[in-house]
Amino acid sequence: MNETPLIPAGVKRCSKWQFSLWMGAVTAVLIWGIYAMFLIWYKGLNQTNMNDAYGFALWIWADLAVIALGGGAFFSGFLTYIIGKDDLKNIINFAVIIGFICYSSALLILAIDIGQPLRGWFIFWHANVHSMLTEVAFCLSCYFAVLTIEFIPLILENPRLAKKPFLHHLSHNMHGVMAVFAATGVFLSFFHQGSLGGVAGVLYGRPFAYREHVFIWPWTFFLFTWSAAACGPCFTILVTWMTEKITRKKLVKQEVIWLFAKISGWMIITYITAKTIDTLYWALVTAPSKGFTLMDFYSSPTYNIGLLFIEIVLCGFVPGLILITRRGRENSFFLMSAVILAVIGVSLNRWVMVLQVMAVPLFSFNDWYTYMPSWQEVATTVLPVAYGLIVISLAYRYLPVFPQEQELNPID
Amino acid sequence: MFPFCFEWAWDMSHMVFMGGLWYALSIIGAGLTFAIVKSIMDMKSHDEKDHGHH
């Protein structure tokens, strides 16, 4: 059996044994995660270290973080198909794959977290229409369907599949209506990213999270959507860079990366300015109105004021300023530093809005609540990383993911 | 999810939530159906052209 027809024409891939070795190593990690997942499904949520204080824990942070990092897919779709930034067509395939991995991981983590996945459909059938999380579940599922639809044409471009006339036409026609799916994806993402932020912002009884609002939407609703659109592209750039390092090839022209980084930079700067105003208003007006001072929320050795500085200045203004300046983004070291800081920044924001909210004492006689995840929680959180590596490896090997790869790496 | 589910009520919350869900699902379904139907038609017209050449 000759494998060559499965690999796209005009590109070079590693040998079968090298690929198998890599896949074997990643699959071992995947199996570890699957074992932990089955332990949780079989024995129950007592396998975790969640407690009365921490109903939301490592999984929900991972969920929110991957959803924010997967925001590169909807934002690049918006820029390409709706704004008309055609240059981004050279990276959008990869952004869609990353989005697909992030959202399928988020759904997988939720399936573990609900304890009884066989009852997962209850959220649709017996929907609680007063819960922001119901809206998140709706939008998340629908957007995952959109990402799958966006991924399918790329899969159909595999040389062996493209030979089938129906699949060839289907791929072409799906490309033709992709703008509709992209617009739907933007609509869905706006609401589920926002509602994830809204969940924290409406917690009237937890002044650390509570924010002022417009109608029913607290400011965190808008900040979450904004931060996902701002930092999602940075994650796409980061994973592209890692793929280039591993494959030892240039896969996307630097001009495309710079354009994506510049847009991301402006989004980060505007987001972090809004976040700063929101934080100042909360610290000076909202929290005092509930009887708290800013430092009441940062009195723990773990959750100290340094976290706020790291999130807003080090992982907010610094990467934003680097990316909006030509010299900053065109210097490889600064570009990648900014991208990594932005990814850490948005992940830290989700950590603070999930876990610090849970850690703040609810009663005057309580100390800060503590939590350390069990190995089962860690393994099931690492599981999506291994799964993501497998999907990216298979996609890169068998699909024409990067339209500029042939031009940048001509085969003699 | 459907008006025949026992907890359904014709109130604003149900209409907004479920209306939004079905609106999104309809667009996704319509887009997908269009692509599939057009592909079948394209394939048939392509076949007919091929037969015409022979």
Side-chain angles (χ1 to χ4, degrees):
Chain A
M1 289 288 284
N2 187 358
E3 190 190 278
T4 315
L6 269 176
I7 291 176
V11 295
K12 203 175 172 189
R13 295 289 178 261
C14 68
S15 66
K16 216 173 188 177
W17 73 266
Q18 273 180 313
F19 187 69
S20 306
L21 204 65
W22 161 251
M23 291 296 274
V26 184
T27 305
V29 180
L30 185 87
I31 290 169
W32 179 54
I34 290 172
Y35 171 64
M37 183 177 77
F38 278 107
L39 271 183
I40 291 159
W41 279 346
Y42 183 67
K43 295 190 174 182
L45 291 175
N46 60 3
Q47 298 293 293
T48 73
N49 280 348
M50 288 192 284
N51 52 46
D52 289 346
Y54 283 91
F56 283 176
L58 183 69
W59 285 330
I60 295 298
W61 164 74
D63 232 30
L64 267 64
V66 292
I67 288 170
L69 298 174
F74 92 83
F75 194 56
S76 58
F78 172 73
L79 292 170
T80 309
Y81 294 109
I82 297 167
I83 302 291
K85 293 277 178 196
D86 282 344
D87 282 351
L88 296 181
K89 282 190 175 166
N90 296 304
I91 201 168
I92 197 167
N93 286 344
F94 203 46
V96 165
I97 293 172
I98 293 168
F100 176 85
I101 293 166
C102 287
Y103 276 80
S104 50
S105 299
L107 290 172
L108 174 69
I109 293 170
L110 284 178
I112 302 169
D113 199 11
I114 59 175
Q116 295 206 41
L118 291 179
R119 295 184 183 178
W121 58 278
F122 277 27
I123 201 162
F124 298 101
W125 202 263
H126 306 294
N128 171 7
V129 291
H130 300 290
S131 166
M132 281 196 162
L133 285 176
T134 303
E135 193 248 298
V136 171
F138 285 5
C139 290
L140 208 66
S141 314
C142 290
Y143 185 51
F144 178 62
V146 169
L147 281 169
T148 308
I149 291 168
E150 288 180 342
F151 192 8
I152 286 172
L154 181 65
I155 295 172
L156 298 181
E157 281 176 30
N158 173 270
R160 200 172 281 184
L161 294 175
K163 277 183 183 173
K164 314 271 182 199
F166 173 71
L167 298 182
H168 173 75
H169 288 299
L170 184 61
S171 172
H172 176 76
N173 290 324
M174 285 179 85
H175 273 301
V177 289
M178 204 49 81
V180 175
F181 294 122
T184 312
V186 173
F187 169 81
L188 293 166
S189 292
F190 177 81
F191 280 101
H192 74 251
Q193 297 277 6
S195 286
L196 283 171
V199 168
V202 296
L203 295 176
Y204 192 73
R206 291 184 184 259
F208 177 68
Y210 179 71
R211 293 295 188 275
E212 302 299 330
H213 48 271
V214 183
F215 299 115
I216 60 163
W217 297 291
W219 295 123
T220 45
F221 179 98
F222 305 100
L223 290 173
F224 263 50
T225 302
W226 207 334
S227 57
C231 302
C234 286
F235 187 63
T236 306
I237 294 172
L238 177 63
V239 180
T240 306
W241 177 79
M242 288 163 74
T243 310
E244 287 183 339
K245 289 293 158 197
I246 292 168
T247 59
R248 283 175 282 179
K249 280 182 190 172
K250 189 84 194 121
L251 299 169
V252 180
K253 283 185 181 171
Q254 209 54 31
E255 290 77 14
V256 177
I257 300 288
W258 289 335
L259 173 67
F260 211 20
K262 182 182 168 184
I263 295 169
S264 176
W266 280 110
M267 289 295 291
I268 293 172
I269 280 293
T270 49
Y271 155 69
I272 211 68
T273 304
K275 166 83 185 166
T276 305
I277 295 168
D278 169 74
T279 305
L280 283 172
Y281 190 84
W282 163 75
L284 299 174
V285 180
T286 312
S289 75
K290 309 282 177 202
F292 292 90
T293 66
L294 173 70
M295 291 314 292
D296 288 335
F297 301 115
Y298 294 99
S299 60
S300 150
T302 314
Y303 295 111
N304 57 57
I305 196 76
L307 271 184
L308 196 60
F309 173 81
I310 293 171
E311 187 194 334
I312 292 184
V313 180
L314 187 63
C315 297
F317 280 109
V318 171
L321 289 171
I322 290 174
L323 295 179
I324 60 169
T325 53
R326 181 187 283 265
R327 275 193 186 175
R329 66 176 174 270
E330 292 189 2
N331 176 304
S332 301
F333 173 75
F334 286 127
L335 172 70
M336 292 324 297
S337 302
V339 158
I340 292 168
L341 285 175
V343 167
I344 294 172
V346 75
S347 306
L348 180 62
N349 172 264
R350 292 343 188 223
W351 181 277
V352 166
M353 294 308 283
V354 175
L355 291 178
Q356 191 168 348
V357 171
M358 300 285 155
V360 177
L362 287 175
F363 304 106
S364 55
F365 50 82
N366 275 147
D367 201 354
W368 284 71
Y369 297 107
T370 55
Y371 153 80
M372 183 62 74
S374 67
W375 75 263
Q376 291 91 330
E377 286 174 272
V378 174
T380 43
T381 305
V382 172
L383 166 67
V385 179
Y387 153 75
L389 288 173
I390 289 173
V391 174
I392 288 177
S393 304
L394 289 169
Y396 171 72
R397 187 171 177 82
Y398 296 112
L399 306 175
V401 177
F402 299 101
Q404 295 175 323
E405 186 186 352
Q406 265 182 277
E407 183 190 341
L408 292 167
N409 307 274
I411 297 175
D412 298 327
Chain B
M1 187 166 191
F2 297 108
F4 54 78
C5 290
F6 72 88
E7 66 266 67
W8 180 272
W10 286 104
D11 57 17
M12 191 56 80
S13 301
H14 275 84
M15 286 190 272
V16 170
F17 260 75
M18 295 304 164
L21 175 68
W22 285 110
Y23 178 63
L25 287 174
S26 304
I27 293 175
I28 295 169
L32 207 54
T33 308
F34 170 81
I36 292 170
V37 171
K38 190 163 187 306
S39 303
I40 294 169
M41 286 163 62
D42 287 349
M43 192 176 64
K44 281 187 175 170
S45 65
H46 195 81
D47 283 351
E48 280 167 15
K49 272 183 195 167
D50 278 356
H51 286 302
H53 286 301
H54 286 298

